[in-house]
Structures are given as C-alpha cells and as structure tokens.
Amino acid sequence: MVRTGSEEARTNAKAVAAVQAELNSLQGLGCFDLSKPLDADEVARRVEDPHFARGFLILGEKNIEGPVEDRRWKGRLVGGGDQVRNVRGERVYPCL
C-alpha cells in the first residue's frame, strides 16, 4: 500500500487514475456528488436522523511481485465504521 498523500501517489499517473476511477465509480452509483458537497448542518436539515463517518482512501499496486506489465494500481474508498456518529456527535452502532 502507498500513503495517499505521498509523492508517488500524487505524481504517478496510474495511481492518480486509479483514485479517480474509484471516485467516478462511486459517484456514478449515486453514493455522493463531489461537485456539490454539503456540510453536516445541511444534511441534518434534509435527512431524518443522519449518520456520519469518515472516509479513507486506500491505494495500492497490485501484482507487485510479478512482471511490471502485470502490475496495476487500485484505489478504494472505505468508511471508518468505528467512528459512526449521529448529528449530535454521539456514537451510533447502525449494524447492531
């Protein structure tokens, strides 16, 4: 794995493309719209009992042990499920 803020992640065209592909895929599914971000107060006005979690981007080069031509970059956005909170900042456990 590569730290997303690292120089390699910012300057390697294939790494950047992997991150963009992941974000485009999620936006295409309607998960969020990065062109129209909302703050927590606006979400609370629009959604009854919203839950909030931090997102983390994981970036890695797959098949690193093999030949260079078999390698590819993969980005994945994941949610920090250990810190899900409601609009009042209280921890919630949506899976229980």
Side-chain angles (χ1 to χ4, degrees):
M1 283 203 230
V2 176
R3 196 171 62 80
T4 54
S6 71
E7 182 178 346
E8 183 177 20
R10 291 190 320 268
T11 60
N12 182 304
K14 290 182 180 182
V16 172
V19 169
Q20 195 59 55
E22 174 70 359
L23 295 176
N24 290 345
S25 174
L26 292 171
Q27 287 187 102
L29 293 171
C31 297
F32 53 78
D33 184 352
L34 291 175
S35 70
K36 299 175 187 172
L38 301 173
D39 64 22
D41 291 336
E42 181 64 24
V43 173
R45 282 192 288 277
R46 294 183 184 195
V47 178
E48 183 180 340
D49 193 29
H51 293 168
F52 299 91
R54 289 183 7 178
F56 300 90
L57 190 62
I58 297 172
L59 179 63
E61 190 174 14
K62 300 186 71 109
N63 304 317
I64 191 87
E65 307 85 12
V68 174
E69 59 271 10
D70 291 343
R71 296 178 188 176
R72 69 181 184 90
W73 286 89
K74 178 68 180 166
R76 182 67 71 200
L77 183 65
V78 297
D82 63 326
Q83 291 292 323
V84 179
R85 301 201 179 256
N86 64 17
V87 71
R88 293 174 299 283
E90 303 164 333
R91 289 183 81 171
V92 294
Y93 304 92
C95 297
L96 299 178

